[in-house]
Amino acid sequence: MTVSFVTYQSDREGDSGRQVAENFDRAQGAVYRIVDGKVPPDVTCIVFDASFLSTRRIAGVGVAGMAQCDASRVQRIGAERSRPVARCSRLAMLEGADELLLVEFQPKGSDLLATLVLVTSRGLTFNDFPAKCEAGSSCWREGDGGVINARDFHLVGAFRISTGYEFAIAWDRPEGQSTILIESGVFRERADWYRYWARRWA
């Protein structure tokens, strides 16, 4: 998809502060026009130029969508982290047999742990989301009730780099969406963004 820069828009009267389609004409920010292709309203996108791809290429995503992990994956992850797995979901199938998973481990008292797991022929790489809270309270995000759901995670972009992969992953919650850019190999966060929408979820 190709976009072109139009202008930088200042906030206008009636701006709700929410970064959603219905507030587009009043919100502050850069405005782009879609030259070819279509994007549904309120979908998070990555805008990049040719220089961005000078050190990356867009990775192939064979099958995207949530699915339960294979039993062998669950056993392997639990053994590597020495902690039983409570839930494991596949977020995406990548090039070859590589997979991107979301795993939640069994609680240890008030210590909770979820993690993104990249599975490749070289092994497992983890990007942890630890939390400390009591059952039923907000743990990872305000209003989450102590639950982390794979349906709230979206692979916005996947790129191949010299150390493996670079992922842009969006995480939805009731008050807004966080997007992180993480690099595999050591799975380090390189950038993060936040999009506020403060809408109620069913």
Side-chain angles (χ1 to χ4, degrees), residues 7-144:
T7 186
Y8 187 85
Q9 177 174 287
S10 299
D11 62 313
R12 300 176 183 175
E13 184 177 354
D15 178 17
S16 66
R18 292 168 174 79
Q19 295 164 312
V20 295
E22 64 183 20
N23 192 50
F24 181 85
D25 291 338
R26 298 178 293 275
Q28 175 180 309
V31 177
Y32 292 85
R33 176 179 291 110
I34 298 174
V35 177
D36 56 70
K38 293 182 179 180
V39 178
D42 288 325
V43 170
T44 297
C45 301
I46 301 173
V47 178
F48 56 85
D49 60 16
S51 64
F52 180 85
L53 291 178
S54 65
T55 55
R56 303 165 177 83
R57 69 172 174 81
I58 298 173
V61 179
V63 179
M66 187 175 61
Q68 297 302 306
C69 302
D70 293 338
S72 59
R73 290 273 192 265
V74 173
Q75 185 177 17
R76 181 183 175 191
I77 291 167
E80 182 144 338
R81 297 302 295 267
S82 300
R83 186 166 180 170
V85 172
R87 281 171 288 278
C88 180
S89 300
R90 187 187 68 206
L91 299 181
M93 290 290 294
L94 304 166
E95 298 182 342
D98 298 348
E99 295 181 326
L100 183 65
L101 315 175
L102 177 70
V103 176
E104 183 180 355
F105 294 97
Q106 293 286 355
K108 290 184 177 180
S110 60
D111 292 328
L112 306 184
L113 179 62
T115 185
L116 288 168
V117 184
L118 176 64
V119 183
T120 71
S121 59
R122 295 183 177 183
L124 305 176
T125 310
F126 299 88
N127 190 79
D128 289 345
F129 303 114
K132 192 175 186 69
C133 68
E134 300 302 324
S137 61
S138 298
C139 300
W140 288 280
R141 292 288 191 272
E142 183 64 32
D144 65 14

Side-chain angles (χ1 to χ4, degrees), residues 161-189:
I161 56 177
S162 60
T163 57
Y165 286 97
E166 191 173 59
F167 299 112
I169 299 173
W171 182 1
D172 297 348
R173 290 312 309 151
E175 81 288 350
Q177 183 189 72
S178 298
T179 302
I180 56 174
L181 185 67
I182 53 178
E183 180 182 335
S184 70
V186 293
F187 241 4
R188 58 174 181 152
E189 292 189 18

